[in-house]
């Protein structure tokens, strides 16, 4: 995970009183003393924000800008956080030209800013009746609300960690339904660095691990510890669980060797079973709970969305097969669900066989009833994603993939039917639709929110 560096910039003007004429613009900052007081206020506010951000975030020292020379001297950062207290539009444009910019305006949170009045007509629309420039959008402007600011920064952090992310693809890279086209689109849109590992190499690694007494003993120890946890119930053969921990150790070694945080497994329903003497389900679930992103099926239609949602939420993501939405509800299921869905505590789980093969070890995670979730639906073309908020109504036990949830759809479920795209869905605890929408706009994609 790469931290997001943010350069706060206070743009302001200093005025001198003149008799019988307008000598100052709107706003509560008009001299060096009030500007310095505002700098100290910003510093204290951002220190508090950094401490509670929940993701790697670093604020650089507050830059003071009242001339074009001041803009030229600003240090580089991933994002510029522009406190637009004053200054002419050229000064603000100069900051925005340096890189992604979020503008913070004060109405009631401190001294009122000049650009609270004029940012729309002058800077965003540029004296037109529509947006007249490419630097700033309405979503790039926050008034008073540091929670909204944090959402923007979280989205930009997610985007930074998604673009160019390295993915280890065991058994090769593919895409559900469209094969190699999905891989091409993922590389073109998201610049993913895909490292392919053959099943021949995996077989050699597993064979070596199975023959390593220390590795086997570690797998047995970890399996025993896992199965003794409160809320875990074994309903398959214990040897399948031990082998799943061997596979987990092999996958983790691959991740470490390739300096990656993301792994996916192709043909995981058939090819991997004779090699690992278990299924990949539990091994991937364990990696998800450790903070990695571990996905089955090597589906590069869905993998970019999974990466973005993972970093936007800071939580494990459940990649699931959907069913047909109806009557305001939809069933989702898969066998690789994380247990640490809220990022803090593990949900109860039954350890069963993988459903289609009735073999191996797969967790049936008992998702929390009443939990609000974000559901993200990526498209086959990497142009338009769909999302909605839902609530887990039930965690049933139907004859389908083991981890199951009935999700109540917030919004018009009939519209959702008309907007369906792709196949796999991504589910995470909490509401992150605004972060996803903001991030997608930055890469020129559309987002359809149902609700």
């Amino acid at each position: 995970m790469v931290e997001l560096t943010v350069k706060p910039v206070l743009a302001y003007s200093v005025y001198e009183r003149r008799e019988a004429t307008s000598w100052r613009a709107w706003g509560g900052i008009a001299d060096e003393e009030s500007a310095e007081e505002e700098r100290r206020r910003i510093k204290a506010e951002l220190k508090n924000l950094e401490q509670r951000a929940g993701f790697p975030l670093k604020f650089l020292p507050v830059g003071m800008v009242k001339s074009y020379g001041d803009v030229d001297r600003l240090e580089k950062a991933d994002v510029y956080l522009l406190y637009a207290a004053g200054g002419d539009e050229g000064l603000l444009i100069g900051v925005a030209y340096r890189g992604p910019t979020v503008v913070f305006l004060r109405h009631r949170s401190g001294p009122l800013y000049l650009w609270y009045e004029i940012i729309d007509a002058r800077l965003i629309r540029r004296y037109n009746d529509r947006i007249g420039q490419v630097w700033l959008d309405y979503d790039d402007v926050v008034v008073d609300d540091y929670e909204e600011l944090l959402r923007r920064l979280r989205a930009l952090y997610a985007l930074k960690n998604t673009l160019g992310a390295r993915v280890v693809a065991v058994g090769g890279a593919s895409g559900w339904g469209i094969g190699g086209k999905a891989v091409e689109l993922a590389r073109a849109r998201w610049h993913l660095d895909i490292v392919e590992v053959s099943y021949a190499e995996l077989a050699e690694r597993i064979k070596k691990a199975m023959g390593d007494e220390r590795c086997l003993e570690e797998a047995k120890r970890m399996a025993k510890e896992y199965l003794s946890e409160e809320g875990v119930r074994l309903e398959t053969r214990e040897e399948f669980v031990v082998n799943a921990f061997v596979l987990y150790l092999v996958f983790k070694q691959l991740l470490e060797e390739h300096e990656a945080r993301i792994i996916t497994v192709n043909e995981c329903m058939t090819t991997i079973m004779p090699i690992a003497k278990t299924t990949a389900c539990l091994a991937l679930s364990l990696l998800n709970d450790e903070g990695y992103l571990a996905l089955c099926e090597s589906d590069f239609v869905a993998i970019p969305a999974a990466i973005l949602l993972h970093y936007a939420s800071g939580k494990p993501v459940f990649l699931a097969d959907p069913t047909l939405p109806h009557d305001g509800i939809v069933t989702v299921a898969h066998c690789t669900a994380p247990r640490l869905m809220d990022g803090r505590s593990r949900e109860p789980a039954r350890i069963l066989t993988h459903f289609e093969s009735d073999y191996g070890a797969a967790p049936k995670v008992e998702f929390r009833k009443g939990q609000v979730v974000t559901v993200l639906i990526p498209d086959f073309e990497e142009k338009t994603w769909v999302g909605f908020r839902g609530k887990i109504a039930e965690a049933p036990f139907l004859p389908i993939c083991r981890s199951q949830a009935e999700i109540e759809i917030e919004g018009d479920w009939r519209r959702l039917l008309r907007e369906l795209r792709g196949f796999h869905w991504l589910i995470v605890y909490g509401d992150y639709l605004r972060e996803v929408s903001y991030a997608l706009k930055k890469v020129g994609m559309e987002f359809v929110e149902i609700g």
Side-chain angles (χ1 to χ4, degrees), residues 45-115:
E45 290 170 344
L46 295 183
K47 182 179 179 181
N48 175 269
L49 196 68
E50 188 174 279
Q51 290 172 345
R52 61 187 179 84
F55 62 95
L57 176 64
K58 180 181 179 181
F59 289 108
L60 302 174
V62 180
M64 306 284 279
V65 169
K66 63 177 180 178
S67 71
Y68 294 106
D70 294 333
V71 174
D72 293 338
R73 287 187 288 271
L74 291 173
E75 57 194 307
K76 290 184 178 180
D78 297 318
V79 181
Y80 293 88
L81 175 53
L82 178 56
Y83 287 80
D88 63 35
E89 52 211 79
L91 201 65
L92 272 62
I93 291 169
V95 175
Y97 258 129
R98 297 181 66 87
T101 301
V102 179
V103 178
F104 191 88
L105 301 175
R106 293 198 193 275
H107 170 211
R108 298 183 184 277
S109 63
L112 187 135
Y113 284 2
L114 164 64
W115 285 92

Side-chain angles (χ1 to χ4, degrees), residues 40 100 144 182:
R40 290 194 297 267
D144 286 338

Side-chain angles (χ1 to χ4, degrees), residues 169-183:
V170 176
S174 189
W176 191 95
I178 60 172
K181 180 185 175 183
V183 183

Side-chain angles (χ1 to χ4, degrees), residues 375-392:
V375 181
L376 191 56
I377 306 170
D379 66 330
F380 285 128
E381 298 182 346
E382 289 292 345
K383 291 180 179 178
T384 305
W385 292 356
V386 177
F388 66 91
R389 270 178 302 275
K391 186 181 291 184
I392 294 177

Side-chain angles (χ1 to χ4, degrees), residues 186-207:
R187 284 186 168 128
R189 172 70 75 180
W190 301 99
H191 313 296
L192 295 187
D193 177 9
I194 302 170
V195 179
E196 297 193 5
V197 175
S198 69
Y199 267 114
E201 179 182 341
L202 182 69
E204 284 300 312
R205 286 175 178 268
I206 292 173
K207 182 180 178 181

